[in-house]
Amino acid sequence: MLNINQILDAPACLKKELDTVLALQADIDTADHVIQSAKAEIEKYDIFKITLEALGSLEHTHDCLMAKVDILYSSLNVSDKFPELKDIPLEFVRTLLLAHDLKINICKQAIGSFFDWDKLDQAIRGA
């Protein structure tokens, strides 16, 4: 059974895990871009068959890595911790968590501002 601290820490923990998965996905996407660029450049010239086979193998490895990142995302059990987020894309969940953090920061700033105004009002009344 979850206690209140685990519930309150869940968004922060989930954000950290999602950031890690997204960083992996970004690295894999970069690798895919490099592979595709190399393939396009190599295909311009009549290069050895073994080179094209190696590129094909790299593409296959990339596909396997993407599948493993999807499995990793699934293993975070986002849908178990937050059933409302089931079947929602990873990038959207991350954006949602960033918006949540932003909302909390704005509330903190607003409350701080209200306290500042209250102190000014007290100073004026006291004079």
Side-chain angles (χ1 to χ4, degrees):
M1 178 155 237
L2 293 175
N3 66 33
I4 191 69
N5 287 334
Q6 288 173 319
I7 292 170
L8 293 175
D9 290 341
C13 182
L14 181 62
K15 181 178 180 286
K16 183 178 174 182
E17 291 170 346
L18 286 174
D19 284 344
T20 301
V21 172
L22 284 170
L24 278 171
Q25 189 172 23
D27 290 345
I28 292 170
D29 287 343
T30 301
D32 180 53
H33 178 71
V34 171
I35 291 168
Q36 296 307 318
S37 295
K39 184 178 179 181
E41 198 62 35
I42 288 171
E43 286 179 341
K44 287 181 184 178
Y45 308 101
D46 191 21
I47 301 297
F48 300 107
K49 182 180 175 184
I50 194 166
T51 305
L52 295 175
E53 288 173 357
L55 282 173
S57 176
L58 284 172
E59 288 176 318
H60 175 72
T61 302
H62 171 266
D63 293 340
C64 291
L65 285 173
M66 286 304 290
K68 288 181 182 186
V69 166
D70 288 340
I71 291 169
L72 183 60
Y73 173 65
S74 298
S75 74
L76 294 178
N77 297 323
V78 173
S79 60
D80 292 344
K81 294 176 187 173
F82 302 94
E84 307 84 23
L85 300 177
K86 185 178 181 184
D87 299 326
I88 295 180
L90 174 66
E91 189 64 36
F92 181 78
V93 172
R94 182 175 183 268
T95 302
L96 188 63
L97 288 169
L98 288 173
H100 176 264
D101 289 348
L102 184 61
K103 176 186 169 190
I104 290 171
N105 288 335
I106 290 171
C107 286
K108 286 178 183 178
Q109 290 290 330
I111 290 169
S113 177
F114 293 144
F115 282 127
D116 289 344
W117 281 105
D118 188 46
K119 287 179 186 176
L120 288 173
D121 286 344
Q122 287 177 3
I124 290 172
R125 279 185 257 139

